Amino acid sequence: MYIRFAHYTGIYFGDYVSRFSFWLGKDSDTRLIELRRGEGGQGPMSLRLNGSTVATGTIPLLKTTWFLIELYVKLDSIDGRIIVKVNGRTDIDYSGNTDVLSQETINRLYFHNYYYMVSSAYAYYDDIAVNDTEGEEDNGWCGDGHVLY
């Protein structure tokens, strides 16, 4: 599965915790694969499998900046892989057990924003695309996305 989306967090009063969370699962209670934006709203992303952090990126995601985020996910208990790109650069490349709950399928995408002690924060998502790896077409990276603002 290949996924692409753009993300933007706006200016808000103070420097409180603000982060986004994007996760894949089989139902609303299962966060099989989760990406989280760093603490304080400006750190790099972390990759979590079933609630445990397994990898952390190095590219800081600053406030008031659009970022194009791309993922490749191969679910497998032995030979799994997750690649996360930020603006076309590989930020996380994880290999190993990616099917920690033996789900075998992903049928839901979630986008969520966390704001702690702030009422004037805002965030945007744009340019969402998903390609599966079945069939003869559209089974690779989603390609050139355009962020309009």
Side-chain angles (χ1 to χ4, degrees):
M1 171 183 291
Y2 293 85
I3 302 161
R4 179 192 68 218
F5 63 93
H7 178 72
Y8 177 94
T9 297
I11 297 173
Y12 51 86
F13 182 75
D15 193 21
Y16 299 105
V17 173
S18 168
R19 65 181 184 218
F20 80 82
S21 179
F22 164 78
W23 74 89
L24 304 168
K26 196 167 186 175
D27 56 52
S28 61
D29 296 324
T30 305
R31 294 185 185 191
L32 177 60
I33 298 168
E34 181 179 14
L35 278 180
R36 281 192 179 181
R37 184 179 191 165
E39 295 297 325
Q42 301 200 91
M45 287 186 291
S46 62
L47 172 64
R48 298 164 56 95
L49 298 177
N50 192 31
S52 298
T53 300
V54 296
T56 301
T58 60
I59 300 172
L61 301 181
L62 305 176
K63 293 179 271 190
T64 68
T65 304
W66 278 103
F67 291 94
L68 184 64
I69 299 170
E70 301 170 277
L71 289 87
Y72 165 70
V73 176
K74 176 185 174 189
L75 279 183
D76 192 278
S77 60
I78 297 170
D79 192 28
R81 190 161 185 201
I82 299 171
I83 300 171
V84 180
K85 293 183 179 184
V86 177
N87 293 337
R89 292 178 38 214
T90 299
D91 191 35
I92 295 173
D93 191 344
Y94 173 80
S95 297
N97 181 4
T98 57
D99 194 12
V100 293
L101 298 177
S102 300
Q103 297 269 332
E104 297 180 0
T105 60
I106 295 171
N107 61 10
R108 295 184 187 209
L109 308 173
Y110 295 89
F111 295 89
H112 184 75
N113 292 298
Y114 296 97
Y115 299 108
Y116 173 70
M117 294 181 60
V118 65
S119 61
S120 60
Y122 57 92
Y124 300 107
Y125 292 92
D126 192 9
D127 197 37
I128 299 167
V130 178
N131 286 345
D132 65 18
T133 55
E134 303 294 325
E136 297 178 15
E137 295 182 24
D138 295 328
N139 58 4
W141 291 101
C142 296
D144 186 24
H146 301 283
V147 178
L148 303 175
Y149 54 95

